[in-house]
Amino acid sequence: MDKKTPPRARRDDSLSRERIIDAAIAILDQDGERGLTFQALSAHLATGPGAIYGHIANKADLLTAACDAIVARAVTPDAPGATPQAAIRTLALAIFDAMDAHPWAGAALIQAGGKMPVVRILESVGRQLGALGVPEAARWAGVCALVNYILGVSGQNAANAQRARTECAERGAFLAAVSAEWSQLDAVQFAFTRSMAGQLRAHDDRDDFLAGVDILLRGLAARY
Amino acid sequence: MDKKTPPRARRDDSLSRERIIDAAIAILDQDGERGLTFQALSAHLATGPGAIYGHIANKADLLTAACDAIVARAVTPDAPGATPQAAIRTLALAIFDAMDAHPWAGAALIQAGGKMPVVRILESVGRQLGALGVPEAARWAGVCALVNYILGVSGQNAANAQRARTECAERGAFLAAVSAEWSQLDAVQFAFTRSMAGQLRAHDDRDDFLAGVDILLRGLAARY
DNA sequence: ACCTGAACACCGTTCAAGT
DNA sequence: ACCTGAACACCGTTCAAGT
């Protein structure tokens, strides 16, 4: 993905892919995905909108690159003494927290297919699964399950954080609103969802997220 | 979400929320999400773009509603004699196939938060988890893990199908391209991903998807 | 009450002209 | 070689005017 890294030195304040990505992240953090405009971006960089296309292909490319910067920061080298299980839990939590801090990255990451940011996570989880003794033939399914769970739940949580930010004053009020919606569902057709409405308001997102990771790890352990 | 169901009869060919959603699905299936334009939609319905806003709130609302129609068709009532495990596998495959047939729904579903289409899946999985004997306190984590896995992997698969459709002639060529990209990654930093490049090209998406569902079910069974 | 469709305020992207 | 910024071809949404 990163094939056209600029090969030679550049003037101090000249445009660069890196400077553009940093500016994009700053805008995304402040105003969300809708705020990231080539107008806003070029103003932030004190240049014209056309100049940006010298360094990035298009808006999708920019979003994936911004995402990759966030993920690269979150995927730190493994602590030397940790068990594979502990390393996976640490990685999962790092992604969860990064998505919570940069909610726009959740949606972008899921659209990114087999691209760089996802590959980083894949790689890190895959190594630990190897250390865990999962045989090579079964590793693909295990990695898929774990990575998709991590991306899915973190992304969902990020989407909630974003909706809470735009629709309600605070996160608690938002969860209460969804909980109230669920309580008004048909009592027969949606009995289970209604029964979960209370837990939705009370639960701790991070705890529940980790509980799911443990279910997956237990499933893998039960097999091998 | 569906609170303003039209309460009274309407002329045969007059606009209705349902007719709009059907037209939207037809356009999405044919031209993808980028093809769904209020221009194209109103042309398809032989009306002006403004008329649509009498029945739907905005484009996001329309997309969620279209998604819900797809999911509602896929989530069929459980077969009477089936075990909970079998019912969950059947549901998971139905979602997977629906997303594969309507790739745009994958992305839309993930953005839909605690809304109707997701609730349908939540409800169906939750019931089976109850039948499986998972105690109420642990059901939330279990449902989260399963639903997110199903949505995540199906969505990823749908995104691949969509990228394959637009970037390459056929699906095999697309997977080969991603596989080739992975093979060119750094041998030390991305050793695991490189080792998976072969499997990526050879694997059967549906089989691997089901294998992941089984890992989750086994993890839940190991605990309760 | 509902539809019509021109108009509005944007948006991503391009490209001739500058330096 | 790189930046500039006007211009292009759109887009979702609104709203006065019609029926």
mmCIF file of all heavy atoms in Angstrom, chain A residues 15 46-51 55, chain D residues 1-7 13:
data_model
loop_
_atom_site.group_PDB
_atom_site.id
_atom_site.type_symbol
_atom_site.label_atom_id
_atom_site.label_comp_id
_atom_site.label_asym_id
_atom_site.label_seq_id
_atom_site.Cartn_x
_atom_site.Cartn_y
_atom_site.Cartn_z
ATOM 1 N N LEU A 15 4.769 20.199 1.587
ATOM 2 C CA LEU A 15 3.766 19.151 1.773
ATOM 3 C C LEU A 15 4.432 17.784 1.770
ATOM 4 O O LEU A 15 5.441 17.568 1.111
ATOM 5 C CB LEU A 15 2.753 19.200 0.628
ATOM 6 C CG LEU A 15 1.490 20.022 0.856
ATOM 7 C CD1 LEU A 15 0.542 19.833 -0.313
ATOM 8 C CD2 LEU A 15 0.812 19.639 2.145
ATOM 9 N N ALA A 46 -2.651 25.216 4.691
ATOM 10 C CA ALA A 46 -2.311 26.473 4.014
ATOM 11 C C ALA A 46 -1.892 26.246 2.569
ATOM 12 O O ALA A 46 -0.827 26.688 2.130
ATOM 13 C CB ALA A 46 -1.212 27.213 4.788
ATOM 14 N N THR A 47 -2.757 25.551 1.832
ATOM 15 C CA THR A 47 -2.468 25.299 0.415
ATOM 16 C C THR A 47 -3.784 25.168 -0.346
ATOM 17 O O THR A 47 -4.845 25.390 0.222
ATOM 18 C CB THR A 47 -1.614 24.022 0.253
ATOM 19 O OG1 THR A 47 -1.341 23.815 -1.115
ATOM 20 C CG2 THR A 47 -2.344 22.823 0.791
ATOM 21 N N GLY A 48 -3.726 24.804 -1.593
ATOM 22 C CA GLY A 48 -4.939 24.598 -2.372
ATOM 23 C C GLY A 48 -5.330 23.144 -2.375
ATOM 24 O O GLY A 48 -4.494 22.273 -2.134
ATOM 25 N N PRO A 49 -6.604 22.840 -2.639
ATOM 26 C CA PRO A 49 -7.067 21.455 -2.619
ATOM 27 C C PRO A 49 -6.339 20.571 -3.625
ATOM 28 O O PRO A 49 -6.125 19.386 -3.369
ATOM 29 C CB PRO A 49 -8.561 21.553 -2.960
ATOM 30 C CG PRO A 49 -8.810 22.948 -3.353
ATOM 31 C CD PRO A 49 -7.687 23.791 -2.923
ATOM 32 N N GLY A 50 -5.949 21.121 -4.727
ATOM 33 C CA GLY A 50 -5.283 20.328 -5.756
ATOM 34 C C GLY A 50 -3.932 19.787 -5.331
ATOM 35 O O GLY A 50 -3.506 18.718 -5.778
ATOM 36 N N ALA A 51 -3.243 20.532 -4.479
ATOM 37 C CA ALA A 51 -1.889 20.142 -4.070
ATOM 38 C C ALA A 51 -1.869 18.786 -3.384
ATOM 39 O O ALA A 51 -0.890 18.038 -3.487
ATOM 40 C CB ALA A 51 -1.305 21.196 -3.142
ATOM 41 N N HIS A 55 0.130 13.767 -3.362
ATOM 42 C CA HIS A 55 0.663 12.854 -2.346
ATOM 43 C C HIS A 55 -0.270 11.719 -1.974
ATOM 44 O O HIS A 55 0.154 10.715 -1.406
ATOM 45 C CB HIS A 55 1.029 13.644 -1.092
ATOM 46 C CG HIS A 55 2.041 14.706 -1.336
ATOM 47 N ND1 HIS A 55 1.702 15.984 -1.731
ATOM 48 C CD2 HIS A 55 3.397 14.683 -1.296
ATOM 49 C CE1 HIS A 55 2.805 16.704 -1.887
ATOM 50 N NE2 HIS A 55 3.844 15.933 -1.629
ATOM 51 P P DA D 1 10.894 17.022 -13.687
ATOM 52 O OP1 DA D 1 11.275 15.666 -13.816
ATOM 53 O OP2 DA D 1 10.413 17.845 -14.647
ATOM 54 O "O5'" DA D 1 10.225 17.249 -12.251
ATOM 55 C "C5'" DA D 1 11.078 17.124 -11.116
ATOM 56 C "C4'" DA D 1 10.499 17.939 -9.992
ATOM 57 O "O4'" DA D 1 10.163 19.262 -10.470
ATOM 58 C "C3'" DA D 1 9.215 17.354 -9.384
ATOM 59 O "O3'" DA D 1 9.362 17.398 -7.985
ATOM 60 C "C2'" DA D 1 8.108 18.259 -9.914
ATOM 61 C "C1'" DA D 1 8.811 19.577 -10.129
ATOM 62 N N9 DA D 1 8.289 20.366 -11.261
ATOM 63 C C8 DA D 1 7.957 19.904 -12.506
ATOM 64 N N7 DA D 1 7.529 20.845 -13.314
ATOM 65 C C5 DA D 1 7.587 22.003 -12.544
ATOM 66 C C6 DA D 1 7.259 23.345 -12.824
ATOM 67 N N6 DA D 1 6.808 23.756 -14.018
ATOM 68 N N1 DA D 1 7.429 24.252 -11.837
ATOM 69 C C2 DA D 1 7.885 23.825 -10.657
ATOM 70 N N3 DA D 1 8.228 22.595 -10.277
ATOM 71 C C4 DA D 1 8.047 21.721 -11.281
ATOM 72 P P DC D 2 8.263 16.735 -7.008
ATOM 73 O OP1 DC D 2 8.909 16.309 -5.757
ATOM 74 O OP2 DC D 2 7.482 15.782 -7.832
ATOM 75 O "O5'" DC D 2 7.345 17.977 -6.681
ATOM 76 C "C5'" DC D 2 7.870 19.051 -5.886
ATOM 77 C "C4'" DC D 2 6.907 20.203 -5.989
ATOM 78 O "O4'" DC D 2 6.730 20.568 -7.369
ATOM 79 C "C3'" DC D 2 5.496 19.904 -5.485
ATOM 80 O "O3'" DC D 2 5.333 20.559 -4.239
ATOM 81 C "C2'" DC D 2 4.566 20.453 -6.563
ATOM 82 C "C1'" DC D 2 5.505 21.257 -7.453
ATOM 83 N N1 DC D 2 5.112 21.340 -8.885
ATOM 84 C C2 DC D 2 4.771 22.569 -9.431
ATOM 85 O O2 DC D 2 4.787 23.576 -8.706
ATOM 86 N N3 DC D 2 4.409 22.655 -10.738
ATOM 87 C C4 DC D 2 4.407 21.547 -11.495
ATOM 88 N N4 DC D 2 4.063 21.677 -12.774
ATOM 89 C C5 DC D 2 4.769 20.277 -10.964
ATOM 90 C C6 DC D 2 5.108 20.218 -9.658
ATOM 91 P P DC D 3 3.984 20.411 -3.419
ATOM 92 O OP1 DC D 3 4.301 20.476 -1.986
ATOM 93 O OP2 DC D 3 3.210 19.287 -3.965
ATOM 94 O "O5'" DC D 3 3.281 21.776 -3.800
ATOM 95 C "C5'" DC D 3 3.962 22.994 -3.508
ATOM 96 C "C4'" DC D 3 3.251 24.121 -4.205
ATOM 97 O "O4'" DC D 3 3.117 23.794 -5.603
ATOM 98 C "C3'" DC D 3 1.829 24.401 -3.692
ATOM 99 O "O3'" DC D 3 1.757 25.777 -3.383
ATOM 100 C "C2'" DC D 3 0.934 23.979 -4.859
ATOM 101 C "C1'" DC D 3 1.860 24.257 -6.048
ATOM 102 N N1 DC D 3 1.552 23.551 -7.318
ATOM 103 C C2 DC D 3 1.034 24.270 -8.405
ATOM 104 O O2 DC D 3 0.817 25.480 -8.289
ATOM 105 N N3 DC D 3 0.775 23.618 -9.566
ATOM 106 C C4 DC D 3 1.022 22.306 -9.674
ATOM 107 N N4 DC D 3 0.776 21.712 -10.840
ATOM 108 C C5 DC D 3 1.561 21.550 -8.582
ATOM 109 C C6 DC D 3 1.801 22.211 -7.439
ATOM 110 P P DT D 4 0.539 26.392 -2.627
ATOM 111 O OP1 DT D 4 0.991 27.575 -1.880
ATOM 112 O OP2 DT D 4 -0.136 25.283 -1.931
ATOM 113 O "O5'" DT D 4 -0.395 26.875 -3.808
ATOM 114 C "C5'" DT D 4 -0.058 28.066 -4.518
ATOM 115 C "C4'" DT D 4 -1.109 28.314 -5.574
ATOM 116 O "O4'" DT D 4 -1.120 27.203 -6.484
ATOM 117 C "C3'" DT D 4 -2.529 28.419 -5.025
ATOM 118 O "O3'" DT D 4 -2.944 29.766 -5.162
ATOM 119 C "C2'" DT D 4 -3.346 27.428 -5.870
ATOM 120 C "C1'" DT D 4 -2.413 27.147 -7.039
ATOM 121 N N1 DT D 4 -2.509 25.812 -7.704
ATOM 122 C C2 DT D 4 -2.956 25.765 -8.998
ATOM 123 O O2 DT D 4 -3.301 26.753 -9.626
ATOM 124 N N3 DT D 4 -2.988 24.498 -9.548
ATOM 125 C C4 DT D 4 -2.616 23.302 -8.929
ATOM 126 O O4 DT D 4 -2.677 22.247 -9.521
ATOM 127 C C5 DT D 4 -2.166 23.442 -7.575
ATOM 128 C C7 DT D 4 -1.739 22.219 -6.803
ATOM 129 C C6 DT D 4 -2.130 24.664 -7.022
ATOM 130 P P DG D 5 -4.061 30.366 -4.227
ATOM 131 O OP1 DG D 5 -3.741 31.801 -4.062
ATOM 132 O OP2 DG D 5 -4.235 29.505 -3.041
ATOM 133 O "O5'" DG D 5 -5.359 30.249 -5.136
ATOM 134 C "C5'" DG D 5 -5.256 30.570 -6.533
ATOM 135 C "C4'" DG D 5 -6.433 29.976 -7.289
ATOM 136 O "O4'" DG D 5 -6.136 28.612 -7.675
ATOM 137 C "C3'" DG D 5 -7.737 29.883 -6.470
ATOM 138 O "O3'" DG D 5 -8.827 30.097 -7.348
ATOM 139 C "C2'" DG D 5 -7.725 28.448 -5.989
ATOM 140 C "C1'" DG D 5 -7.210 27.794 -7.254
ATOM 141 N N9 DG D 5 -6.731 26.436 -7.089
ATOM 142 C C8 DG D 5 -6.390 25.804 -5.912
ATOM 143 N N7 DG D 5 -5.996 24.573 -6.093
ATOM 144 C C5 DG D 5 -6.094 24.374 -7.467
ATOM 145 C C6 DG D 5 -5.812 23.232 -8.248
ATOM 146 O O6 DG D 5 -5.399 22.123 -7.873
ATOM 147 N N1 DG D 5 -6.047 23.466 -9.597
ATOM 148 C C2 DG D 5 -6.493 24.648 -10.128
ATOM 149 N N2 DG D 5 -6.664 24.668 -11.435
ATOM 150 N N3 DG D 5 -6.761 25.718 -9.396
ATOM 151 C C4 DG D 5 -6.541 25.511 -8.089
ATOM 152 P P DA D 6 -9.844 31.280 -7.086
ATOM 153 O OP1 DA D 6 -9.071 32.512 -6.839
ATOM 154 O OP2 DA D 6 -10.828 30.801 -6.072
ATOM 155 O "O5'" DA D 6 -10.584 31.415 -8.494
ATOM 156 C "C5'" DA D 6 -9.807 31.603 -9.668
ATOM 157 C "C4'" DA D 6 -10.246 30.633 -10.760
ATOM 158 O "O4'" DA D 6 -9.780 29.285 -10.448
ATOM 159 C "C3'" DA D 6 -11.767 30.527 -10.947
ATOM 160 O "O3'" DA D 6 -12.040 30.525 -12.345
ATOM 161 C "C2'" DA D 6 -12.125 29.203 -10.273
ATOM 162 C "C1'" DA D 6 -10.869 28.371 -10.541
ATOM 163 N N9 DA D 6 -10.615 27.302 -9.562
ATOM 164 C C8 DA D 6 -10.637 27.403 -8.192
ATOM 165 N N7 DA D 6 -10.361 26.275 -7.579
ATOM 166 C C5 DA D 6 -10.131 25.377 -8.605
ATOM 167 C C6 DA D 6 -9.789 24.007 -8.605
ATOM 168 N N6 DA D 6 -9.602 23.279 -7.489
ATOM 169 N N1 DA D 6 -9.640 23.413 -9.810
ATOM 170 C C2 DA D 6 -9.813 24.144 -10.919
ATOM 171 N N3 DA D 6 -10.144 25.435 -11.042
ATOM 172 C C4 DA D 6 -10.284 25.996 -9.832
ATOM 173 P P DA D 7 -13.572 30.437 -12.874
ATOM 174 O OP1 DA D 7 -13.627 31.222 -14.126
ATOM 175 O OP2 DA D 7 -14.485 30.751 -11.745
ATOM 176 O "O5'" DA D 7 -13.742 28.912 -13.253
ATOM 177 C "C5'" DA D 7 -12.773 28.295 -14.103
ATOM 178 C "C4'" DA D 7 -13.176 26.842 -14.360
ATOM 179 O "O4'" DA D 7 -12.781 26.029 -13.229
ATOM 180 C "C3'" DA D 7 -14.690 26.627 -14.546
ATOM 181 O "O3'" DA D 7 -14.887 25.778 -15.663
ATOM 182 C "C2'" DA D 7 -15.131 25.991 -13.232
ATOM 183 C "C1'" DA D 7 -13.872 25.221 -12.816
ATOM 184 N N9 DA D 7 -13.742 25.011 -11.368
ATOM 185 C C8 DA D 7 -14.004 25.897 -10.356
ATOM 186 N N7 DA D 7 -13.793 25.420 -9.149
ATOM 187 C C5 DA D 7 -13.361 24.123 -9.385
ATOM 188 C C6 DA D 7 -12.968 23.092 -8.516
ATOM 189 N N6 DA D 7 -12.951 23.210 -7.181
ATOM 190 N N1 DA D 7 -12.597 21.920 -9.070
ATOM 191 C C2 DA D 7 -12.613 21.803 -10.410
ATOM 192 N N3 DA D 7 -12.956 22.708 -11.328
ATOM 193 C C4 DA D 7 -13.326 23.854 -10.747
ATOM 194 P P DT D 13 -29.890 13.731 2.864
ATOM 195 O OP1 DT D 13 -29.525 13.680 4.287
ATOM 196 O OP2 DT D 13 -30.728 12.677 2.274
ATOM 197 O "O5'" DT D 13 -30.582 15.150 2.596
ATOM 198 C "C5'" DT D 13 -29.869 16.322 2.985
ATOM 199 C "C4'" DT D 13 -30.669 17.550 2.597
ATOM 200 O "O4'" DT D 13 -30.639 17.729 1.166
ATOM 201 C "C3'" DT D 13 -32.156 17.506 2.989
ATOM 202 O "O3'" DT D 13 -32.370 18.534 3.946
ATOM 203 C "C2'" DT D 13 -32.909 17.745 1.680
ATOM 204 C "C1'" DT D 13 -31.835 18.381 0.795
ATOM 205 N N1 DT D 13 -31.995 18.190 -0.684
ATOM 206 C C2 DT D 13 -32.115 19.299 -1.485
ATOM 207 O O2 DT D 13 -32.122 20.432 -1.052
ATOM 208 N N3 DT D 13 -32.237 19.028 -2.822
ATOM 209 C C4 DT D 13 -32.247 17.778 -3.424
ATOM 210 O O4 DT D 13 -32.365 17.664 -4.643
ATOM 211 C C5 DT D 13 -32.125 16.657 -2.529
ATOM 212 C C7 DT D 13 -32.136 15.255 -3.064
ATOM 213 C C6 DT D 13 -31.999 16.915 -1.214
#
